[in-house]
Amino acid sequence: APVRGEDVMEILFEEALDTVYYAAGDFPLSWRTNKDYSGKYYFRLYDSKAGKVVYKDSIVGNTLSIENLKRYMKPGSTYQWSVATKKTGEYTAGVLKYLYVNTITKQIVSFQKAIDVPEDAAARYFRIAYLLQISHYLPDAFIYYQKAVKAAPDEVFYKEILLEFKKAFQIRLW
């Protein structure tokens, strides 16, 4: 006997994308479906305060760079984003907070000062990347994971974590 809802297509999001703090850089918002789907996705960006759509587009593929949304956003503002298909309803993904660059810079400085233990540059970059990631500064975490790999190219662990990060957030392997 069929199970209720087993044929329903759903849009799924990486849990960490429930909130993204963003100031600069090329980082994608991404999603996937629980069933094969090759049609268009309908993306919307809402101003959280006004509840109005500030950007909408149809997209082939399951990522959209936040960089493409910057011109529709104001630093210091909060947005929500959603994705829909012709086969699904609209799925609200999460919150996108567009921050001033100095806000993130201050956060990185505080993470750099967080502990007083001897560590090489790669370990410091990796620690900062991890702290940025768990604090929802995903675009900056991506930059710092890359810095860790560059500072210690022979350290397999850093490379593995960077690859996992890229896979989780559907970052193209360029």
Side-chain angles (χ1 to χ4, degrees):
V3 177
R4 191 174 89 133
E6 76 177 18
D7 288 336
V8 175
M9 187 171 89
E10 296 178 295
I11 299 173
L12 308 169
F13 305 94
E14 186 67 33
E15 192 175 314
L17 288 174
D18 67 341
T19 302
V20 176
Y21 297 133
Y22 177 83
D26 189 13
F27 191 83
L29 297 175
S30 59
W31 55 91
R32 58 188 165 80
T33 56
N34 63 335
K35 299 195 175 294
D36 286 341
Y37 180 72
S38 58
K40 287 187 177 179
Y41 293 94
Y42 302 96
F43 179 92
R44 290 182 182 209
L45 182 69
Y46 297 88
D47 180 306
S48 289
K49 202 177 220 178
K52 292 184 177 177
V53 175
V54 294
Y55 174 83
K56 65 181 179 177
D57 198 3
S58 60
I59 299 165
V60 175
N62 53 358
T63 63
L64 179 65
S65 175
I66 300 173
E67 185 77 17
N68 296 342
L69 302 172
K70 279 174 68 170
R71 72 180 127 199
Y72 305 101
M73 302 187 303
K74 293 179 195 145
S77 297
T78 302
Y79 301 87
Q80 286 192 303
W81 60 284
S82 69
V83 179
T85 70
K86 286 187 176 180
K87 294 183 175 186
T88 66
E90 184 174 20
Y91 283 73
T92 300
V95 173
L96 176 59
K97 294 188 178 194
Y98 188 27
L99 304 175
Y100 292 96
V101 173
N102 66 347
T103 303
I104 292 179
T105 303
K106 288 176 188 174
Q107 186 64 59
I108 290 169
V109 168
S110 77
F111 286 156
Q112 288 171 334
K113 295 177 181 176
I115 61 169
D116 187 26
V117 294
E119 61 186 354
D120 64 13
R124 184 176 64 253
Y125 290 145
F126 184 81
R127 179 176 52 80
I128 292 168
Y130 175 76
L131 292 171
L132 287 165
Q133 181 179 352
I134 64 172
S135 300
H136 298 278
Y137 295 92
L138 301 175
D140 300 281
F142 179 52
I143 290 167
Y144 273 81
Y145 281 131
Q146 291 176 94
K147 285 182 177 188
V149 169
K150 190 173 184 182
D154 296 331
E155 180 57 61
V156 175
F157 179 71
Y158 296 159
K159 288 180 184 176
E160 287 174 351
I161 297 299
L162 177 59
L163 285 173
E164 285 177 20
F165 188 88
K166 285 180 168 184
K167 184 178 177 186
F169 297 107
Q170 301 183 42
I171 298 171
R172 304 285 180 248
L173 305 177
W174 60 89

